[in-house]
Amino acid sequence: MKSILVALLLSGLALMCSAQISKIESKIVRSVEIHNQTYVQLLKDVVNTNSGTMNFDGVRAVGMTLKPYFDDLGMETTWVSGESFNRAGHLVAVNKGTKGPKLLLIGHLDTVFEPDHPFQSFQMLNDSLIQGPGVIDMKGGDVIILAALHALKDAGVLKDMHIEVVLTGDEEKSGSPLELSKKAIIEASERADIALAFENADGDPRTIVVTRRGSSGWKLEVTGNAAHSSQIFTERVGVGSIYETSRILNAFYTELSTEENLTFNPGVILGGTAITYDNNKNGGTAYGKSNVVAKQTLVNGDIRAVSLEQLSRAKEAMLRITAENRPGTSSELTFKAGGYPPLTETEGNHVLLGYYSKVSQDLGYGEVKPVHPRKAGAADVSFTNGLVDMAIDGLGLAGSDDHTANETGNLNYLPIQSKRAAVLMYRLCFDTN
């Protein structure tokens, strides 16, 4: 696979000598412009179909709306059942050409908005701004994938390209076990050389993601001696679970908060004489009196790191801090299995960014720079880490406020992103000889 990276470096140098697009690239651009309204309507249709992760029928409905478009491109489409990991499933489409590197395109069908959420429909705010659940995260990206592939077909080159598309149905709330939930992406990554993901990145089309922080969970459980509050701090009673929890959390902050690109957030805390916690509801109850030393405290949080090495160092420090118990207390810190791995920053990812930026400039849309890791959350592309030569994310629709009822996209960028993606894929497959 290293030959692909070398070839791209060499062809990238050649392309720097020319700022013009080729005749085939002109056909690609023209196709996107001709069919843009078709894909605007498709975006409206899928946004108006609720596909909250746990609305399995809705997720499948969005997949079945997109499937005929892949079929019309001549791709082999498959619905991967999600029964084994308690989700709707995934849509996979494959084009088995033989020219150039094998490309993996990544998107997702689900949103964070379940059927009981009030935010349900597509609407035009003006002549270019749209609002709706998933317009940028990431139904806009799914539509851009199709528009780009359509343009490649119209230009007569798609048939020669090896492209696999994986649109997952559980990106926003992953199924379990994770090894089955992400099996389709992992296996596709093992077959691919280059991964292109169509999330919306930080909403700025002048940037692209070359690294993403991973995300996983942790749980802190602390026990103290229940006693009358008048006896707190004595040798027999100690400090109680709440004071010990506060020591641990403060030490996490003091020792680790200044490390670049590392974050760890205590999302919920319960403490008192007795507590209950329901994982399915992400909440619970706490009972206690002001004159009783707290016996139990629980904290659930997440941790995000830019590399596996950084994550390992942080875990070691947190475990060490937790073990340094104050008198009369005991504590246990556990890290949840699974989670999203980081997308490690690599030379290959930067080469691919350079190629994409050159495409953007040749099309008249300007230079593209990398997103800061703190602005790029966990996403499915991270499961390609170490399996492909190069990967970037953020090729989706530009907009703002995803995961909120103000989620907004800019339709002016639908053809722009489609052109950039299509020309990038064309050059990757045909400019490396």
Side-chain angles (χ1 to χ4, degrees):
M1 287 190 184
K2 291 185 183 298
S3 60
I4 294 171
L5 179 56
V6 172
L8 288 176
L9 281 166
L10 294 174
S11 63
L13 291 172
L15 283 168
M16 291 297 290
C17 300
S18 172
Q20 296 181 347
I21 62 174
S22 68
K23 290 182 179 179
I24 290 179
E25 291 169 353
S26 294
K27 290 180 180 180
I28 290 170
V29 167
R30 182 60 180 152
S31 173
V32 170
E33 293 169 348
I34 290 171
H35 299 292
N36 186 57
Q37 286 306 309
T38 296
Y39 290 103
V40 170
Q41 182 59 50
L42 176 60
L43 178 58
K44 180 178 180 180
D45 291 343
V46 293
V47 168
N48 281 332
T49 302
N50 179 277
S51 60
T53 307
M54 302 310 293
N55 178 13
F56 295 177
D57 289 341
V59 173
R60 281 189 288 264
V62 171
M64 292 306 102
T65 298
L66 300 178
K67 183 179 183 297
Y69 288 83
F70 289 109
D71 292 337
D72 288 346
L73 294 171
M75 301 181 77
E76 297 178 10
T77 56
T78 305
W79 181 260
V80 178
S81 171
E83 184 177 0
S84 64
F85 49 91
N86 193 33
R87 291 296 183 268
H90 314 313
L91 180 65
V92 176
V94 182
N95 192 78
K96 296 181 179 179
T98 58
K99 189 74 173 181
K102 296 178 180 179
L103 306 182
L104 169 60
L105 313 186
I106 300 171
H108 65 84
L109 306 167
D110 62 319
T111 74
V112 299
F113 305 99
E114 299 294 343
D116 60 352
H117 196 286
F119 189 47
Q120 292 292 334
S121 61
F122 179 103
Q123 63 174 317
M124 297 291 304
L125 300 181
N126 57 37
D127 61 352
S128 58
L129 290 180
I130 57 173
Q131 196 170 71
V135 290
I136 57 171
D137 190 15
M138 65 161 289
K139 293 175 180 179
D142 298 335
V143 170
I144 286 168
I145 290 174
L146 280 167
L149 294 177
H150 189 163
L152 290 168
K153 182 181 180 183
D154 282 354
V157 295
L158 179 63
K159 64 182 185 299
D160 296 320
M161 302 168 71
H162 189 105
I163 297 175
E164 186 165 355
V165 181
V166 179
L167 304 182
T168 64
D170 66 339
E171 196 271 351
E172 301 292 2
K173 190 174 183 179
S174 295
S176 180
L178 201 64
E179 57 267 24
L180 294 180
S181 164
K182 303 306 174 187
K183 183 179 179 181
I185 283 186
I186 292 170
E187 290 185 347
S189 300
E190 291 171 342
R191 293 187 288 269
D193 301 310
I194 298 171
L196 305 174
F198 288 76
E199 288 272 7
N200 58 303
D202 66 346
D204 186 346
R206 297 170 299 179
T207 61
I208 211 74
V209 175
V210 295
T211 179
R212 281 190 178 274
R213 297 190 301 161
S215 174
S216 59
W218 52 269
K219 179 172 68 173
L220 174 64
E221 297 174 283
V222 180
T223 302
N225 294 319
H228 194 279
S229 63
S230 64
Q231 300 304 301
I232 195 169
F233 310 140
T234 63
E235 184 176 351
R236 181 179 67 84
V237 175
V239 302
S241 67
I242 290 179
Y243 266 126
E244 174 63 355
T245 301
S246 67
R247 176 198 69 82
I248 293 169
L249 295 180
N250 184 65
F252 288 173
Y253 172 79
T254 301
E255 185 166 332
L256 296 171
S257 65
T258 58
E259 182 164 344
E260 186 176 10
N261 297 324
L262 174 70
T263 58
F264 39 93
N265 177 59
V268 63
I269 182 169
L270 295 166
T273 304
I275 62 174
T276 64
Y277 189 80
D278 187 335
N279 286 312
N280 293 324
K281 295 182 178 179
N282 295 318
T285 62
Y287 169 80
K289 297 177 68 178
S290 61
N291 63 350
V292 177
V293 178
K295 181 179 181 180
Q296 296 176 283
T297 303
L298 178 144
V299 184
N300 268 345
D302 80 345
I303 181 169
R304 297 171 186 264
V306 77
S307 69
L308 292 174
E309 292 77 13
Q310 184 183 53
L311 179 62
S312 178
R313 290 196 309 271
K315 286 182 176 181
E316 289 177 5
M318 293 170 74
L319 288 167
R320 171 177 49 76
I321 290 167
T322 300
E324 297 168 352
N325 294 127
R326 284 180 173 172
T329 65
S330 62
S331 54
E332 181 180 15
L333 176 65
T334 56
F335 293 93
K336 297 178 181 177
Y340 275 63
L343 176 66
T344 303
E345 187 172 10
T346 66
E347 178 188 6
N349 296 358
H350 278 279
V351 169
L352 189 53
L353 164 61
Y355 222 65
Y356 183 70
S357 182
K358 185 63 171 60
V359 167
S360 180
Q361 291 173 77
D362 288 351
L363 292 172
Y365 300 132
E367 184 181 6
V368 182
K369 296 183 177 181
V371 172
H372 192 283
R374 288 292 292 266
K375 294 184 178 181
D380 280 342
V381 68
S382 295
F383 289 95
T384 72
N385 194 49
L387 299 176
V388 297
D389 282 353
M390 53 190 73
I392 57 174
D393 198 355
L395 293 105
L397 188 62
S400 62
D401 297 321
D402 53 327
H403 286 212
T404 77
N406 297 315
E407 184 172 350
T408 304
N410 189 331
L411 279 181
N412 290 334
Y413 284 102
L414 183 63
I416 290 173
Q417 297 296 85
S418 301
K419 292 173 189 177
R420 293 203 287 194
V423 173
L424 173 67
M425 287 188 276
Y426 169 71
R427 290 187 181 180
L428 289 172
C429 290
F430 291 89
D431 289 338
T432 59
N433 293 332

